[in-house]
Amino acid sequence: MAAAVTETIMDKALLEIRNALQGEDIETDPSATAPYAEDKSAFSGDARLIAAVLLPETTAEVQSILRICNAYGIPVTTRGSGTGLVGGAIPVRQGFVLSTERLNAIRKIDPIDMTARVQAGVITDAISDAASQYGLFYAPDPASSAVSSIGGNIATNAGGLHCVKYGVTRGNVLSLQVVLADGSTIETGRNVIKNVAGLDLTGLFVGSEGLLGVVTEATVRLRSIPAEIKTVGAIFSGISAACSAINGLFEHNVAPAVLELMEVPQLLAAQPRYARFAAEGAMVLVQIDGSDIGGEIERMTSLLRDSQGIIIDARDAQGDNVDLLNLRKSRPRLPREAIRTHGDVAVPRSAESTMFGNVIAIARQEGLSYTAIAHAGDGNIHTRFFQIPASEAESSDIAERVKRAQSKLFEAALAVGGTLTGEHGVGIELAARLPRQLGEANMKLQRGIKRVFDPNNILNPGKWLDADDGKKG
Amino acid sequence: MAAAVTETIMDKALLEIRNALQGEDIETDPSATAPYAEDKSAFSGDARLIAAVLLPETTAEVQSILRICNAYGIPVTTRGSGTGLVGGAIPVRQGFVLSTERLNAIRKIDPIDMTARVQAGVITDAISDAASQYGLFYAPDPASSAVSSIGGNIATNAGGLHCVKYGVTRGNVLSLQVVLADGSTIETGRNVIKNVAGLDLTGLFVGSEGLLGVVTEATVRLRSIPAEIKTVGAIFSGISAACSAINGLFEHNVAPAVLELMEVPQLLAAQPRYARFAAEGAMVLVQIDGSDIGGEIERMTSLLRDSQGIIIDARDAQGDNVDLLNLRKSRPRLPREAIRTHGDVAVPRSAESTMFGNVIAIARQEGLSYTAIAHAGDGNIHTRFFQIPASEAESSDIAERVKRAQSKLFEAALAVGGTLTGEHGVGIELAARLPRQLGEANMKLQRGIKRVFDPNNILNPGKWLDADDGKKG
């Protein structure tokens, strides 16, 4: 299937798909299909690769699409809301885009099982909205949750702020309905917490970035909305002190619902009591949720204070404790013209301080500015290296330095036992670098799995696992 | 490789293995190898199938063993402590048993990362023992934890009482060192919580019952030892009332560390205040752990009382609150001569009461006694149907009825959306029945994965996934 699909074949397939789908479920007008060539990464897709965008409304329609495309060997790139950050949903081969946006029904909220059954195109936050009448919510909360789809979250094993307490997407999915490459449908897992009947295909599909099948429905876990939520912020003299304080919290059995680490925001740096920390200081935000958490908040506040933290006065943060988290969002956005990277390496918590040091050293070596903000309980550091070009001529030099900095960041993360990506995924961004982390024997197994699930290599081909590559290795 | 391995081949392989291992690491004396043909299930192994028991002391030795066996096509059944309940570690083909018992080093306890790096043969409880000096423990706690190995726990994705709060084994393993069938070694995952670099091979190996590779080392998560642990017990008029009370706890956001449901123990039934519940009553035990849990315990106790529960007086349980859990263990053991089954189906929590009703109905239909005890937070019901034969002649009739009851139990669990096994695994016990739950398209993928990982079908062959079967489907 490595050869490009001819136009005649594509037309034939499209005709068959037209017979299987509603007329308005197929988009071929280039102005309408073009947006499906992009995601929220820095990669530019090629709109000409999209022969049609297919918008199935039922699992049966997804089955028809895959059965037909599998027969003709036509690439299908599956896509949720397109909020990915690594190019995972950007098609790189001539073919169809399968959008799950019309698979948007919430089938059932079960307050006793504390689960939701949803179609893949349901917006992540919509699950919590629907569950709220039962006092429940869906925990994983990627920054995009207001617009991302649960199917996209599953494809990328999305994380978020609350994962330090509630786990990432993989730990919150109980079962999946998946249409396989040949159009057959399976249900993985069951609507139960404990299940050891067979290999864990549910976990295998989660994070597989559209390479193994098309997830059409999912049963996800819901949690009780906590009775109380409180956030405490503290300023430390530097990253190292902040990391020590964070490790102290875990050592004293604090179970944070959110734990963020970042530079001191400008809003606070302007206040006299924090001014001396403006340059090198670090801010830690800890959220606790549950019932009767007053004592726990006091204990945690003492621990932060004992670690030389200056507790942030809520009035300085212009709001109450819960609003402290807005401080995280109040960080200035990079201007559009900045040439930048966006990495999300994750490292062992014991190496977090070292890794922050690496980020600073790399920025200095390459003469770049940087931002770094961590889901500190998970050792997951989001780093941007950037510079605003003063002239057109400067751009290519900056682009080179930015790229080199990113490369150094990845190597530094691997050197301390970390991973190239904690939340964003592989996509186009890390495809070439993945074997560096996993090693050849591991990659070979992954390629073998891809071949089992997608022997004709129609699912998101040309990415980090390609069934055709597999034939070589 | 379906043909039996000849003795000459076996001798040749053994000679090569002797050169690679220490002399005392190979056991061929039938009296010494016989115990390796059994586990804790009702299945009788055939000791004559074991040509040798191999007891490697290093990963390199495991690599040599598999490289040699893979070349000759000799079956290798990997085994931890042999505490499995479904025959997973019982060899069913002529070959070698690979025991991990001498891979028993704890490599490292990291109190900041809150992880332990251990060899596969380390006894599960030994991890908690070693971690306790840092105030940490390893959470999954199968009943066998004092004697089972972490490698066996990983092979079966072991559960336990505390999984309702801390998750099963899969959620507590961050990375694995695995020797593949061809003798190469991979490391899956990283020592980090968030990791989306590639397919989740860690989760795939967990629960794979020795069919995909030999786990030699693991990095597992540790948790802080809670400052306080309290247990409350309550007696209800019946299973249905108890299940309602349990669902009420979750509805009110109680996060139990243990939640068990069972018949009223004889010890309590003898006391006047509980006597009226002796026949049809049900006991619920709830454990909470954490800091400042006094308020939470009071709230939970009120909830149980509001649900018509009679709170158990700790003095009646002959101990303090923590000792209440001993009530669970105080249940009378079945006499040796009882003909019995042991099932551990898991069902959605909303179906738990129905499923208990099914157990009772099935026992009645078949004229059998039964015991049923549930990890109720997980819907995981351990059921035994049994009868003590009055005469030899009666045995075969009882055996038939017991088998039929077990079969009905499995069908009833599937009918309410449950799984055949919550904790024990597939092994020999459920091999024939697994496709009934998973369906053929799912089984075909699982067989395909087996073929990728073990193309010569040497790893625990003849079980529920067999690479040779794969060639047919």
Side-chain angles (χ1 to χ4, degrees), chain A residues 388-410:
Chain A
I388 301 167
S391 67
E392 182 68 26
E394 218 187 28
S395 293
S396 72
D397 172 60
I398 296 175
E400 186 127 327
R401 281 184 285 129
V402 150
K403 198 176 157 191
R404 206 159 50 215
Q406 181 82 332
S407 185
K408 286 179 177 176
L409 177 83
F410 290 134

Side-chain angles (χ1 to χ4, degrees), chain A residues 38-113:
Chain A
E38 311 291 338
D39 67 1
K40 297 290 179 197
S41 72
F43 297 100
S44 292
D46 181 351
R48 293 164 305 176
L49 293 176
I50 304 177
V53 174
L54 312 174
L55 301 143
E57 297 183 35
T58 64
T59 296
E61 289 182 351
V62 175
Q63 293 189 271
S64 299
I65 292 168
L66 292 193
R67 194 173 52 240
I68 294 163
C69 289
N70 194 49
Y72 288 108
I74 297 176
V76 177
T77 302
T78 306
R79 178 188 181 87
S81 298
T83 57
L85 296 167
V86 292
I90 292 180
V92 295
R93 296 273 172 84
Q94 183 80 29
F96 300 133
V97 166
L98 189 166
S99 169
T100 58
E101 65 199 85
R102 294 186 186 168
L103 294 166
N104 60 0
I106 296 179
R107 297 264 188 240
K108 189 182 180 187
I109 305 283
D110 190 315
I112 295 180
D113 293 339

